[in-house]
């Protein structure tokens, strides 16, 4: 299984809602990532988990809260988001940092 | 951290060879160069990685001169399905932080 899956594919939420994005990989990769991508821009790194421990937090606002329940799963909890947080959220995993396997992304719209 | 510069867009025709060059003047000794491809509304896909000289795989070649201040991704005999955005990244990977270029939108015409 060489796939990274993400759910949901699309999410529309209000600014007072709480929602979660989910990511799963079964390749035994040691690192998992969350990226945010705005239209016509490259992905921006948000968080990196290495061996289930948060190793990088790129100064992301606290309204985004990552969680890594086990080596195969990665969640991103969302609360009190702003309209400017609307974007494609990408999950990736890797054994080596340079060759990351990306999921299809969750298209998030904040109203 | 190294910064990369690549053309915003390129056009070519089916069956042609396409070369996309990335500039990374401040590349560090331990940095590798990696290229990803991204289709609309999909996650990026790893294409190729190299450190110096030339690397080739089943889909592309990567040429890196001796000074490593630039690199060229070569796509042989492109087809319409190669229309995508191509990103050049540099980084040593030790801290999982890679610097993404702005991306080159490649459009292949029939």
């Amino acid at each position: 299984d060489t796939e990274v899956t993400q759910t949901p594919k699309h999410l529309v939420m209000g600014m007072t809602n709480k929602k979660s994005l989910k990511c799963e990989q079964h390749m035994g990769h040691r690192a998992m990532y969350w990226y945010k991508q705005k239209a016509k821009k490259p992905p921006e790194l948000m968080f990196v988990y290495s061996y289930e421990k948060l190793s990088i937090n790129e100064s992301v606002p606290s309204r985004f809260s990552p969680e890594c329940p086990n080596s195969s799963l990665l969640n991103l909890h969302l609360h009190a988001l702003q309209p400017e947080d609307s974007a494609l959220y990408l999950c990736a995993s890797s054994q080596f940092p340079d060759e990351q396997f990306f999921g299809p992304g969750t298209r998030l719209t904040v109203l | 951290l190294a910064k990369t510069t690549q053309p915003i867009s390129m056009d070519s025709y089916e069956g042609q060879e396409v070369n996309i060059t990335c500039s990374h003047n401040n590349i560090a000794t331990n940095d590798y160069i990696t290229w990803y491809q991204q289709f609309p509304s999909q996650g990026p896909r790893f294409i190729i990685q190299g450190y110096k000289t030339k690397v080739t795989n089943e889909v592309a070649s990567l040429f890196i001169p001796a000074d490593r201040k630039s690199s060229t991704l070569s796509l042989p005999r492109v087809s319409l399905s190669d229309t995508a955005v191509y990103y050049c990244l540099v980084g040593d990977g030790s801290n999982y932080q890679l610097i993404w270029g702005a991306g080159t939108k490649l459009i292949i015409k029939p």
Side-chain angles (χ1 to χ4, degrees), chain A residues 32-44:
Chain A
M32 296 187 76
Y33 312 71
W34 280 117
Y35 286 86
K36 172 183 177 181
Q37 187 175 29
K38 303 283 270 186
K40 300 184 190 290
K41 297 290 186 183
E44 296 175 48

Side-chain angles (χ1 to χ4, degrees), chain A residues 79-110:
Chain A
H79 174 54
L81 294 193
Q82 304 296 310
E84 58 265 29
D85 296 321
S86 298
L88 181 68
Y89 287 84
L90 294 162
C91 174
S93 71
S94 73
Q95 188 62 14
F96 304 102
D98 310 271
E99 185 174 354
Q100 297 178 20
F101 290 76
F102 284 82
T106 293
R107 176 71 61 187
L108 174 67
T109 302
V110 181

Side-chain angles (χ1 to χ4, degrees), chain B residues 2-108:
Chain B
K3 179 179 177 180
T4 64
T5 303
Q6 52 185 125
I8 294 174
S9 65
M10 294 180 66
D11 292 352
S12 189
Y13 292 90
E14 282 191 291
Q16 298 294 304
E17 177 184 75
V18 171
N19 296 313
I20 307 174
T21 297
C22 179
S23 172
H24 28 79
N25 291 321
N26 298 321
I27 190 168
T29 303
N30 295 332
D31 286 344
Y32 280 75
I33 299 148
T34 311
W35 286 81
Y36 282 79
Q37 175 194 55
Q38 186 176 26
F39 298 111
S41 297
Q42 293 187 26
R45 182 176 73 97
F46 174 89
I47 301 174
I48 197 166
Q49 180 188 72
Y51 184 80
K52 62 180 179 181
T53 64
K54 177 183 175 182
V55 179
T56 298
N57 62 23
E58 62 275 10
V59 299
S61 295
L62 180 60
F63 298 91
I64 305 168
D67 67 6
R68 303 200 328 120
K69 293 187 177 183
S70 67
S71 58
T72 299
L73 173 71
S74 181
L75 304 173
R77 297 180 300 281
V78 293
S79 64
L80 296 176
S81 62
D82 292 315
T83 294
V85 177
Y86 292 81
Y87 290 102
C88 168
L89 289 72
V90 295
D92 66 7
S94 61
N95 59 2
Y96 297 98
Q97 289 176 304
L98 301 176
I99 307 299
W100 290 70
T104 297
K105 184 172 184 178
L106 175 64
I107 298 174
I108 305 301

